[in-house]
Amino acid sequence: MPASELDLELTAERTHLTESRAALHRMRGRAEALFSTGNQVAGDAYTAEQLGRHMARRVKELADDPDTPLFFGRLDIEEVAYHVGRRHVTDDAGEPMVLDWRAPLSRSFYRASVRDPQGVATRRRFGFVKGELTSFEDEHLDRGEELGTSSRILTAEIERPRVGPMRDIVATIQPEQDELVRADLGDSICVQGAPGTGKTAVGLHRAAFLLYLHRERLRRSGVLIVGPNTAFLSYISAVLPTLGEVEVQQSTLDEIVGRAPVKAVDTAQAAVVKHDVRMAAVLRSALWNRLGEPTEPIMVSDGSYRWRIDLEPLRRIVDEARGEGLPYAVGRERVRARVVGLLQRQSEYRTGNSPNEGWLRRMSKVAPVAGFLETCWPAVTPESLVAELLTDPSTAGDLLTADEQEAIRWVKPPKTAKSAKWTLADLVLLDEAAGLLERETSFGHVVIDEAQDVSPMQARVIARRSEHGSITLLGDLAQGTAPWAATDWHDILAHLGKPDAAVVPLTVGFRVPEVVVALANRLLPALGVNVPEAVSLRRDGDLRLLPVADPADLDARTLAEVTAALGHEGSIAVIAADAAVDQLRAHLTVAGIEHARPDELETAARVMVVPATLVKGLEYDHVIVHEPADIVAAEPRGLNRLYVVLTRAVTRLSVLHAKPLPQPL
């Protein structure tokens, strides 16, 4: 295309961008007007409240960030141009100016090829700088032209420096990623993703896609994103709002089970036992063994009447309720209701009248009925059930060995369950106990990231919240660092209640440079898992292994490396063994280098000092690794931790070490 035509095309596209932003602004204005006048047009208070909530949500969804491109691509189909962007934008007549990337037609932007053009004559990608359209690049599929991953604009977007929260990848989704993103709501999927393959982005974009396709259904049942820690959730928190989705719940597993404050710490052995799936059977047995047999008839005085229920019908009520497989607390109320029902029938037969609600409530609480329930189906709370088990673990019987029972036994039992000092692992047991008593509300879809570190008991926490929904499981077995880390995805899928979920590998990386991937891949044979090696399409990147002769100079050399890194664009992370972090932060402070913690998103600091145990799922342009040997020595699965640390770099990796590098390197 001649230069003059290119300039005209670029001007036309910029005009379309300006007009599209103006149209989006008008759409938001109309939504704001409806929000402010909703109580005047609604027929009643309830309708006004519902309309207000809907319009408030709509106003948020239509927010525009001038630094974020409103559209990133265009499809020419049958001489009609369709711009593809992050949300649907229409003109005043309702005609589309920008198609939502999730719309059926937009699928061709990601899937069309010379082999299967899907009716697309030309696919255009746009280049932007801080929201300003600066260039475009065409693939004439009808002429056999296809750039694929050699696209200059695609490559520039993937390699763009990263500062602040994680970005969406709608402009760079690859066909194999798009297939996962657009999977049906009913399908549960496990993504085994090597570092840099975009598995986290796939999970988040799948959530956004499902909300687009099944909005009302998922608005009622909800979508839950589960991450490994708050730093990770802070990092990914901006992705879904950027895509117009503002009502997705994000939580860590610790927050989900946080029904009580954590005031104690388990020994390593105790934590392993408490996270073992056998604890589910232990708690189930401890709960249901509480049931007893009725020992005497129920005799109830009711004014001048006396009602009696004999032992045989009472036994039958208990046996039938137990056989119905109900949660414990539901079963208890079912027994109570059936006992009251027998009393009601006697009253109706004798008096000829049907008792009112007040009579039924009174009969359900009279001493003979309450006494019968406490004998046959006693009341219990999650706290009391777990406290009794930890006070006397011998009730586990053969389900736990004697050593395991001693490992979880409280050294000094609390006087009451309310005064107990719970550990993090105890909270998982409390959640299991609560699930035995009452059913949890199920989300429509749950995304679990860094799932390789989810224990069997934690998996059951999620299973209770996705019983009637689907899941997207994301992780990398090679990055498992917990004592109970999974070595086979089918094991954890079984604990999640989704044994038939497909396990899909992603091995082609777009984030981590080839030189960094090659270094990390040296560790794979020593990690004890069977996963394919990552393959990177990025031939750029810089790797430096920097030995330090005198250990006393290691921190100073690290400081010098940070100073040099500040001469480049992008984010910088100093990653070290947890024990070294405070000292490194102190050095940076003395040197006057502004730095922050990984969960501090509202900061202008480019330098983060990150404990190795918190870096999972995060990424930085330049990673400076401080003494790998200490990272490995800090925990039993230290090599797995180092694998995670090395693969956080998206442009440059510097490894400083005074001690010998771990053997596989």
Side-chain angles (χ1 to χ4, degrees):
M1 186 182 293
S4 58
E5 290 186 28
L6 283 172
D7 290 340
L8 288 173
E9 278 286 309
L10 190 58
T11 299
E13 295 292 7
R14 286 171 172 166
T15 300
H16 187 76
L17 175 61
T18 300
E19 292 174 349
S20 297
R21 287 202 184 280
L24 179 62
H25 181 75
R26 291 194 296 273
M27 290 170 65
R28 182 181 171 94
R30 288 192 290 270
E32 289 173 337
L34 280 172
F35 175 66
S36 62
T37 60
N39 61 336
Q40 300 172 23
V41 299
D44 53 59
Y46 174 78
T47 304
E49 182 180 355
Q50 292 299 106
L51 179 61
R53 287 180 180 175
H54 173 75
M55 296 315 302
R57 182 170 58 243
R58 182 65 175 155
V59 168
K60 288 183 181 179
E61 291 170 353
L62 293 173
D64 183 24
D65 180 357
D67 289 337
T68 301
L70 194 56
F71 56 78
F72 47 81
R74 195 182 90 177
L75 296 172
D76 291 354
I77 302 175
E78 296 180 353
E79 299 185 354
V80 178
Y82 300 94
H83 288 78
V84 180
R86 287 168 172 79
R87 66 200 65 193
H88 193 67
V89 179
T90 60
D91 62 19
D92 294 339
E95 292 298 316
M97 299 186 72
V98 180
L99 290 180
D100 193 298
W101 66 277
R102 298 165 288 188
L105 186 61
S106 300
R107 178 176 180 171
S108 297
F109 182 78
Y110 304 105
R111 302 282 190 93
S113 63
V114 169
R115 179 177 295 180
D116 179 20
Q118 302 181 14
V120 177
T122 303
R123 173 169 52 210
R124 174 170 290 180
R125 299 183 189 275
F126 296 103
F128 287 84
V129 176
K130 293 185 177 180
E132 181 183 351
L133 198 159
T134 57
S135 60
F136 65 84
E137 187 177 61
D138 287 346
E139 296 173 274
H140 297 283
L141 302 183
D142 57 349
R143 303 179 196 168
E145 299 175 7
E146 185 176 355
L147 295 172
T149 55
S150 63
S151 162
R152 178 182 54 80
I153 288 177
L154 179 67
T155 301
E157 174 61 21
I158 290 173
E159 297 178 1
R160 183 157 56 97
R162 288 154 168 79
V163 177
M166 180 181 179
R167 304 191 300 260
D168 66 67
I169 63 165
V170 287
T172 61
I173 293 174
Q174 297 301 295
E176 64 272 20
Q177 295 173 325
D178 189 63
E179 188 171 343
L180 296 172
V181 166
R182 296 176 191 266
D184 291 339
L185 175 59
D187 294 341
S188 289
I189 298 172
C190 173
V191 180
Q192 161 56 43
T197 55
K199 56 184 176 293
T200 296
V202 164
L204 294 174
H205 287 68
R206 186 184 185 204
F209 175 77
L210 292 176
L211 282 163
Y212 173 84
L213 207 61
H214 306 279
R215 186 162 301 282
E216 290 308 314
R217 177 177 172 183
L218 290 178
R219 188 162 282 164
R220 291 191 299 270
S221 58
V223 173
L224 173 66
I225 309 292
V226 181
N229 52 57
T230 54
F232 175 83
L233 290 179
S234 296
Y235 177 63
I236 68 169
S237 61
V239 174
L240 289 171
T242 299
L243 300 175
E245 301 301 339
V246 295
E247 290 196 325
V248 175
Q249 182 176 334
Q250 299 187 8
S251 183
T252 66
L253 269 165
D254 293 344
E255 290 170 338
I256 291 173
V257 300
R259 60 183 294 127
V262 175
K263 295 184 177 180
V265 178
D266 277 310
T267 65
Q269 184 185 5
V272 169
V273 175
K274 290 176 182 180
H275 279 279
D276 192 292
V277 73
R278 290 173 296 160
M279 291 301 295
V282 169
L283 288 168
R284 189 183 311 113
S285 175
L287 177 63
W288 289 101
N289 284 342
R290 290 168 171 260
L291 297 194
E293 290 286 330
T295 57
E296 58 184 10
I298 288 179
M299 305 285 291
V300 178
S301 296
D302 183 19
S304 60
Y305 295 99
R306 299 289 184 272
W307 316 126
R308 174 189 174 95
I309 304 177
D310 291 328
L311 283 174
E312 185 54 35
L314 291 175
R315 290 193 187 100
R316 188 165 58 249
I317 287 174
V318 173
D319 291 344
E320 287 176 353
R322 183 166 192 169
E324 289 169 359
L326 299 167
Y328 184 91
V330 177
R332 187 173 193 268
E333 291 309 307
R334 182 73 56 87
V335 168
R336 186 198 302 271
R338 288 174 179 172
V339 168
V340 173
L342 291 181
L343 297 175
Q344 179 184 2
R345 283 201 288 274
Q346 291 184 39
S347 175
E348 289 172 343
Y349 178 77
R350 293 280 300 277
T351 67
N353 297 316
S354 181
N356 58 29
E357 288 295 324
W359 186 92
L360 294 174
R361 285 194 298 271
R362 181 163 53 85
M363 287 296 109
S364 71
K365 297 177 182 178
V366 294
V369 173
F372 158 75
L373 279 172
E374 283 307 303
T375 298
C376 299
W377 207 295
V380 64
T381 65
E383 289 77 10
S384 63
L385 180 64
V386 175
E388 289 176 18
L389 171 64
L390 300 181
T391 298
D392 182 15
S394 65
T395 56
D398 295 338
L399 291 170
L400 298 179
T401 67
D403 287 345
E404 288 171 331
Q405 291 176 22
E406 285 307 307
I408 65 173
R409 185 187 301 276
W410 271 335
V411 176
K412 185 179 180 181
K415 292 181 179 179
T416 66
K418 289 184 178 180
S419 63
K421 294 182 178 179
W422 304 108
T423 67
L424 272 175
D426 292 339
L427 299 191
V428 177
L429 299 183
L430 289 173
D431 194 81
E432 180 75 27
L436 292 170
L437 297 177
E438 303 270 4
R439 282 197 176 93
E440 285 287 348
T441 301
S442 178
F443 285 86
H445 190 74
V446 180
V447 178
I448 311 106
D449 207 348
E450 302 299 344
Q452 70 278 349
D453 283 322
V454 172
S455 74
M457 289 297 286
Q458 288 174 322
R460 291 176 60 83
V461 170
I462 298 168
R464 286 188 286 276
R465 289 158 175 83
S466 58
E467 182 179 1
H468 304 297
S470 56
I471 64 170
T472 300
L473 196 69
L474 310 166
D476 178 9
L477 296 178
Q479 297 185 51
T481 54
W484 43 79
T487 56
D488 188 319
W489 284 120
H490 292 96
D491 293 338
I492 194 168
L493 286 168
H495 296 311
L496 285 164
K498 312 293 182 185
D500 299 325
V503 179
V504 182
L506 287 180
T507 58
V508 179
F510 307 93
R511 177 178 60 80
V512 184
E514 183 181 41
V515 290
V516 175
V517 168
L519 178 69
N521 280 345
R522 296 181 196 173
L523 294 171
L524 280 179
L527 301 186
V529 292
N530 183 22
V531 297
E533 287 190 356
V535 177
S536 177
L537 295 181
R538 291 185 55 185
R539 302 296 181 260
D540 63 332
D542 178 55
L543 168 65
R544 296 200 299 162
L545 303 179
L546 304 171
V548 179
D550 186 349
D553 295 335
L554 182 61
D555 288 358
R557 287 287 302 276
T558 302
L559 203 63
E561 193 68 14
V562 171
T563 303
L566 287 168
H568 299 275
E569 277 190 292
S571 55
I572 303 162
V574 179
I575 306 176
D578 292 26
V581 165
D582 287 344
Q583 183 171 310
L584 287 170
R585 286 175 176 154
H587 287 321
L588 288 169
T589 300
V590 170
I593 297 175
E594 187 179 5
H595 59 281
R597 301 172 188 272
D599 56 352
E600 295 180 74
L601 293 184
E602 302 299 324
T603 176
R606 289 175 53 203
V607 179
M608 300 284 172
V609 183
V610 190
T613 56
L614 291 183
V615 78
K616 195 170 291 182
L618 308 181
E619 59 183 26
Y620 302 93
D621 289 289
H622 191 158
V623 167
I624 300 168
V625 181
H626 178 279
E627 198 58 270
D630 288 350
I631 294 173
V632 172
E635 55 187 310
R637 297 176 67 91
L639 284 175
N640 298 73
R641 182 74 68 188
L642 182 59
Y643 180 80
V644 175
V645 168
L646 295 177
T647 53
R648 300 308 93 199
V650 299
T651 303
R652 296 176 299 280
L653 173 64
S654 302
V655 181
L656 289 93
H657 62 101
K659 300 175 182 178
L661 288 173
Q663 186 60 43
L665 298 181

